[in-house]
Amino acid sequence: MTAFRAALAALIWLALAGCGVSGSPSQHSAFPDGSTMALIRQRGVLTVGIKFDHPLFGYKDPATGRITGFDAEIARLVAKDLTGSESNIRFIETIPRNREDFLQRGVVDVVLATYSITPARRRLVGFTDPYYYAGQDVLVRADDTAVQEPADMGGKKVCTARGSTSVDRLRSTVPRAELEIVDTYMECVTALITGRIDAISTDDTILLGLMLQHPEQVRLLGKPFGREPYGMGVRHDDDAFRGYLDGLIAGYLRDGRWDRAFRDTIGVAGAAAGQAKPASDRH
Ligand code: GLU
């Protein structure tokens, strides 16, 4: 009887493991030896470079320490696909100017940090297909009526972050803006509220999060003047890992996981997915 039970238990265990009910990565196909995917699975942890200061996108909740936001949700989906559990993840803070460096030095496996795909960056790192489209916009004080259009930033003090595409677009589209360039967008907020600067300009995803923190004091123009395709950054020439991630992104766009991540994060601010969602048929 005992032997019978043991055999039965073994059979049930095998059946469950075979179906992947345990949620272990054994349900996935094997990765090529030496690939980044195999390495991460073996290590059991995915390291992700992410922003810590953008509510709704990549944010370290001071009360719980949990990293929240759209980028965090997408990163957790990747960790689950790679390792079998979304909690096999280590988030490391990146700021606009150190994302390439973190990838090149192997500090992180992947960067998901409001990271726009650009030709200049492509020379240093690899990018997946876009998983989100943001737009560059402008945040002003709620009672300031002087800035209504991006062009009104001419002659005004505008704050943005070093190493971002926002700096380049401001220089080319509003060359008369007086730029105050800092390391993180958070540094711009107090300067705006106290009147030391007149506007903050960067992606609407980031500005929405800042607005959420100071709803009475600031106002979003809502007139995007440039499209920012976000990609996951990987090491330069790691085509296998990039291709693997492209496949995951295509799946998330098709099967409702992208929509769920949007609804639970940036969507709570009342934003509609609209232009933000890449067409899944492109993937
Ligand atoms: N998405 C733009 C960039 O990658 C601006 C936002 C940011 O600095 O993260 O530069």
Side-chain angles (χ1 to χ4, degrees):
M1 192 63 183
T2 317
F4 173 74
R5 277 200 181 152
L8 195 66
L11 268 177
I12 291 171
W13 185 87
L14 278 174
L16 289 177
C19 296
V21 171
S22 62
S24 83
S26 64
Q27 64 192 285
H28 304 282
S29 53
F31 290 127
D33 277 347
S35 65
T36 304
M37 297 81 83
L39 209 89
I40 294 166
R41 182 172 290 177
Q42 200 181 9
R43 193 202 296 143
V45 175
L46 172 73
T47 54
V48 179
I50 196 164
K51 300 284 191 72
F52 275 11
D53 57 353
H54 300 335
L56 309 176
F57 242 81
Y59 182 64
K60 185 166 183 174
D61 187 325
T64 62
R66 185 174 165 86
I67 312 300
T68 60
F70 186 82
D71 275 343
E73 286 314 301
I74 298 293
R76 287 193 174 94
L77 293 175
V78 174
K80 182 156 198 298
D81 276 309
L82 266 172
T83 72
S85 164
E86 64 160 51
S87 45
N88 292 333
I89 197 161
R90 194 153 77 88
F91 289 111
I92 296 177
E93 182 177 21
T94 50
I95 60 174
R97 67 172 166 76
N98 68 14
R99 293 171 289 199
E100 292 82 33
D101 178 57
F102 273 31
L103 283 169
Q104 286 174 324
R105 289 194 293 120
V107 178
V108 294
D109 298 315
V110 62
V111 164
L112 269 113
T114 66
Y115 198 18
S116 299
I117 303 165
T118 72
R121 288 174 180 164
R122 264 193 208 283
R123 287 196 278 276
L124 305 170
V125 299
F127 278 108
T128 62
D129 290 332
Y131 66 92
Y132 193 96
Y133 285 100
Q136 184 162 349
D137 212 320
V138 185
L139 200 70
V140 292
R141 277 182 300 283
D143 58 2
D144 179 355
T145 51
V147 181
Q148 298 291 349
E149 300 287 332
D152 298 335
M153 287 186 288
K156 303 267 180 204
K157 286 201 179 108
V158 183
C159 190
T160 195
R162 186 168 289 112
S164 70
T165 53
S166 318
V167 174
D168 302 332
R169 187 171 293 103
L170 281 166
R171 284 198 173 125
S172 59
T173 57
V174 202
R176 285 190 48 250
E178 235 181 88
L179 299 191
E180 166 104 3
I181 301 175
V182 293
D183 273 342
T184 66
Y185 301 100
M186 280 305 278
E187 295 167 57
C188 299
V189 180
T190 337
L192 177 65
I193 292 171
T194 56
R196 204 166 59 69
I197 56 143
D198 304 301
I200 308 175
S201 182
T202 186
D203 300 349
D204 46 10
T205 46
I206 295 172
L207 298 179
L208 266 173
L210 298 179
M211 201 172 69
L212 210 69
Q213 291 181 315
H214 304 275
E216 308 287 308
Q217 288 141 303
V218 297
R219 178 172 65 85
L220 186 69
L221 236 52
K223 305 216 170 116
F225 60 108
R227 210 160 182 231
E228 296 287 321
Y230 291 173
M232 300 184 195
V234 299
R235 266 180 292 288
H236 199 242
D237 293 335
D238 194 346
D239 294 344
F241 190 34
R242 197 174 42 71
Y244 169 77
L245 293 171
D246 280 342
L248 295 187
I249 293 168
Y252 304 156
L253 286 166
R254 268 197 310 266
D255 67 13
R257 281 184 283 178
W258 189 100
D259 299 281
R260 244 190 327 274
F262 184 91
R263 185 199 62 202
D264 296 344
T265 59
I266 191 108
V268 302
Q275 301 276 307
K277 185 176 179 180
S280 51
D281 54 8
R282 273 200 46 233
H283 287 261

